[in-house]
Amino acid sequence: MTKRLTPLRLSLALSLSILIAPAIAAAQPPPAPPSAGEGAGQAFERGVKFFKDGDYVAAMVQFKRAYELDPNYAVLYNIGQTARELKSYSEALRALERYLTEGGDKISAERRASVEGWVTELKDRVAATSVQK
């Protein structure tokens, strides 16, 4: 379902985003660049450890670093799961849809069914908007 934003609603939405953007940016510092010799596997393993410890922000930093170093579709699954835990539903939806697309037939039927269920759930939580003149 597409919702139409009136000029007043658009103005209010933009004003709100300007007010909260600094708080969001301050809450999540950008990841440090990978050190020399650091591999995607090391970053991924740290991400798994942080995820198991419930430190989802740190896990996300590590999973994104791993994906940056080696853009393997499998890491998108972890990014999607972590984004779900952080209640970043649009990011989770994008990551999981990319996981399904890029993974193709390499994803087991059981895992695919599970992820497709999450995608359906996330679509109910994410609203699409369009701005029309």
Side-chain angles (χ1 to χ4, degrees), residues 38-87:
E38 177 185 45
Q42 292 167 316
F44 183 82
E45 288 174 17
R46 280 194 302 274
V48 170
K49 181 182 180 325
F50 284 129
F51 188 90
K52 287 179 180 177
D53 290 344
D55 189 347
Y56 303 119
V57 172
M60 183 64 84
V61 169
Q62 294 302 317
F63 289 139
K64 285 183 176 181
R65 180 179 291 166
Y67 191 76
E68 179 181 303
L69 293 170
D70 179 16
N72 184 320
Y73 80 93
V75 180
L76 293 168
Y77 176 83
N78 299 83
I79 291 172
Q81 278 190 317
T82 305
R84 274 181 77 216
E85 292 296 329
L86 291 169
K87 296 181 179 26

Side-chain angles (χ1 to χ4, degrees), residues 17-31 57 61:
S17 68
I18 290 169
L19 291 174
I20 64 171
I24 293 170
Q28 296 182 1
V57 172
V61 169

